[in-house]
Amino acid sequence: TPALLLLAGVLYALAAVVLSGCGTHTGGDIIDLTLLLEGRELPVRALRDTGNTLRDPVSGQPVLVADWQTLSRLFPEAGLTHKQLDDPAGLMAHLSAQYPRCRFRLIPYRAVGVDSGLLLGLRCGIRQKKGRTADGLVAFSPTAVSADGRFDALTGGQTA
């Protein structure tokens, strides 16, 4: 049995070394975008996430999902906190009064462990690094979309 334990330990170490890079994003699936709104330009790094199937219920177009800090950086003078995004309807009313020219809306969603919910959404320009710009919808999550901070948003693989 000592030989079996030694063999098991060696195989475990070998598997740990070989598989240590599996499950991480290499950077090829992260794209640089710029959000354009009322003369503001905000650079955003987005992960192409094939599991992100969120679509605008009105147009059927894919929705970019960004974390709450992206919204906070778009409107730094608003002093937003992640807790405010827990009440997207209340936050939409507050921001719509403060920024009447912006087109805020609520986006319904479903996720694992969540029967249904709403995210605050905002229509703005989305420019790819290549320079192509399109009008798009961005939904803001009250939680971080990246555990390690390498990206700020999730796209379903389709961009501007």
Side-chain angles (χ1 to χ4, degrees):
T1 56
L4 280 176
L5 287 174
L6 180 61
L7 179 62
V10 169
L11 290 175
Y12 178 80
L14 181 62
V17 169
V18 171
L19 298 176
S20 65
C22 292
T24 61
H25 300 289
T26 61
D29 48 359
I30 296 177
I31 56 174
D32 293 316
L33 302 173
T34 302
L35 301 183
L36 309 168
L37 180 70
E38 300 281 316
R40 303 169 195 232
E41 293 189 13
L42 179 67
V44 172
R45 293 178 51 89
L47 172 69
R48 289 185 201 264
D49 179 11
T50 56
N52 174 15
T53 59
L54 186 63
R55 294 196 168 273
D56 179 2
V58 176
S59 69
Q61 299 220 323
V63 176
L64 182 73
V65 178
D67 60 29
W68 75 272
Q69 291 173 330
T70 301
L71 180 64
S72 180
R73 289 186 300 150
L74 264 176
F75 300 102
E77 62 282 351
L80 300 173
T81 66
H82 69 87
K83 280 300 204 190
Q84 289 176 288
L85 273 95
D86 288 340
D87 177 19
L91 183 56
M92 183 177 92
H94 172 74
L95 290 175
S96 293
Q98 196 171 355
Y99 304 98
R101 295 183 57 191
C102 293
R103 302 181 317 192
F104 294 100
R105 54 184 295 202
L106 297 174
I107 308 295
Y109 76 96
R110 282 197 236 185
V112 175
V114 179
D115 288 332
S116 63
L118 294 172
L119 295 175
L120 179 67
L122 175 63
R123 189 157 293 282
C124 60
I126 301 173
R127 183 174 61 216
Q128 286 187 0
K129 190 174 182 179
K130 301 176 227 168
R132 185 172 158 222
T133 302
D135 194 39
L137 192 58
V138 182
F140 299 97
S141 169
T143 58
V145 296
S146 171
D148 61 5
R150 290 186 55 214
F151 48 90
D152 314 293
L154 303 171
T155 180
Q158 299 176 0
T159 57

